[in-house]
Amino acid sequence: MTPKYREIETTIRARIADGTYPPGTALPSDDALADELGVTRPTVRAGLAELRATDAVTVIAGRGAFVRDPELTALRRERDVAWDMAKREAEQAEQAEATGRRALDLAAELEAEGHPEVAERIRNTLEPQAQ
């Protein structure tokens, strides 16, 4: 047997799909949906939570639940993924640069301690990264 909140989710999702609730429109209040569908308000809220989890609707405190535009939601996801990738790449580049600086510091210390051949090998290892 399907839980009631899943039935609420399915009903609202079907209404979004058939245009009853087009993108950008407010859904009826929790109380109105509960009365219409013959369930309790917490059941409606659980169904809305499922819709929110899949970005079908957004809830604004004090204003209600609104149907999201699936195309805008997809574009926002793409933007967020691109932003996260760029951020990760910048962090990796920063870490690589810091590692290179530490290696050059180590090479300088080794050279000062009388190990120029080891210092040179470290520098030679880093050269391809600098190019």
Side-chain angles (χ1 to χ4, degrees), residues 56-72:
V57 300
T58 187
V59 176
I60 301 172
R63 302 231 11 241
F66 296 83
V67 179
R68 285 186 168 243
D69 183 330
E71 290 178 20
L72 288 177

Side-chain angles (χ1 to χ4, degrees), residues 33-96:
L33 284 170
D35 288 344
E36 177 189 345
L37 301 171
V39 296
T40 63
R41 189 167 172 252
T43 302
V44 168
R45 292 180 67 79
L48 289 175
E50 295 297 314
L51 291 165
R52 236 183 7 255
T54 60
D55 285 335
V57 300
T58 187
V59 176
I60 301 172
R63 302 231 11 241
F66 296 83
V67 179
R68 285 186 168 243
D69 183 330
E71 290 178 20
L72 288 177
T73 299
L75 289 172
R76 285 185 185 109
R77 275 198 196 115
E78 287 179 27
R79 176 203 59 202
D80 293 346
V81 167
W83 178 256
D84 289 343
M85 288 174 60
K87 186 176 173 185
R88 262 195 309 275
E89 287 174 5
E91 288 170 353
Q92 289 172 348
E94 191 175 300
Q95 289 173 351

